[in-house]
Amino acid sequence: MTPLTRAQLVLRYAAVALAASSWGTWPLILRRADAIAQMPTALTSTIVMGVMTLAAGAVVVVQRRRSPGPQERPDRRAWAGIAWLGVADALNFVLFFAAYRTTSVAIAVLTHYLTPIFVAIAAPLVLRERATPRTAVAVAVSFAGLLLLLGPWNAVKGANDGLGAALGAGSAVFYATNVLVNKRLGRAFRPSELVCFHGLVATPLLALFVPREAWAAIDPNAFAVLFVGALGPGALAGLLFVWGLRDLPATHVSTLTLLEPLVAVIAGAVAFGEHLATVALAGAALILAGAAVVVSQRQLAK
């Protein structure tokens, strides 16, 4: 395969960074929807995943009419990978939101973003990506920044913090498998197909957790807010993320996803007046430094 030019690499890194940053706006979107009418988490997740799936499906239809398919025809293993993506993404949603409801936000987010560490460990084995000291430093620096940004030691220790941390770490495992499997399937499916097809599995799985009576109580205004979010930080960001992941090392991509909690914390400070301590600002600087280390690497491991 022809190596990517520097400009093409920059575009792919920018796509991943933009996707991860846009995910950091989800707290604003969810709080806005909750202010209108609070719905069960499973229902909110199902609505978002369903809209993402439909939007990506529309892109699939247009692309298939205009151009031939990807480089490889998907075989049974590829379709099995799609099925696993759907299951893993549904479990990622459920476990992460359960962690939010069980423990502090700091502990839930921190354990959820163990993902870059899991990917760094698994990528050389699963994807045959070459592990480099520079990538390891980037992961370590960014995760240290996440620790300072969230300050989990400041959270009030509760009886359920251990369970909440376990739920968050569980979601990180499924998040990490999503990154790795998406990377492996990038030659058999377009980004739009990966987003759409796995959503066809994840959406009905999430719907199983929705109480029957909740469907009849959907508020149209809250739905509209979620709909817009599902198109922007949902479908569009998902397409950008998968497109960038296709040609970048999974360890680099997973490290850049730490921009999500960074943007979320800054958004909370700006929109809701949440306090941002000096140590948190130092953590933000470390996350950006880790991202800079990743983007500045010249070699592209595939």
Side-chain angles (χ1 to χ4, degrees), residues 104-179:
S104 67
V105 171
I107 292 175
V109 173
L110 181 66
T111 52
H112 177 69
Y113 274 96
L114 289 170
T115 298
I117 295 176
F118 292 155
V119 171
I121 293 171
L125 302 174
V126 177
L127 301 176
R128 299 294 187 266
E129 288 185 358
R130 188 173 60 184
T132 65
R134 195 169 181 179
T135 298
V137 168
V139 172
V141 167
S142 292
F143 189 74
L146 184 64
L147 275 170
L148 295 177
L149 181 70
L150 297 176
W153 48 83
N154 294 324
V156 177
K157 293 184 178 180
N160 293 325
D161 283 349
L163 174 60
L167 291 168
S171 71
V173 170
F174 290 111
Y175 188 4
T177 65
N178 277 357
V179 172

Side-chain angles (χ1 to χ4, degrees), residues 176-252:
T177 65
N178 277 357
V179 172
L180 298 170
V181 175
N182 265 302
K183 175 72 174 176
R184 288 186 68 94
L185 297 179
R187 303 302 170 194
F189 297 97
R190 293 185 177 98
S192 58
E193 292 172 336
L194 285 170
V195 175
C196 175
F197 295 161
H198 100 273
L200 294 174
V201 178
T203 303
L205 282 177
L206 288 168
L208 292 176
F209 293 91
V210 181
R212 287 187 179 182
E213 63 275 10
W215 294 105
I218 295 177
D219 183 279
N221 293 322
F223 177 87
V225 173
L226 294 175
F227 182 87
V228 173
L231 290 180
L236 180 58
L239 293 172
L240 288 172
F241 180 79
V242 176
W243 178 72
L245 174 62
R246 174 179 173 176
D247 293 299
L248 298 176
T251 49
H252 292 194

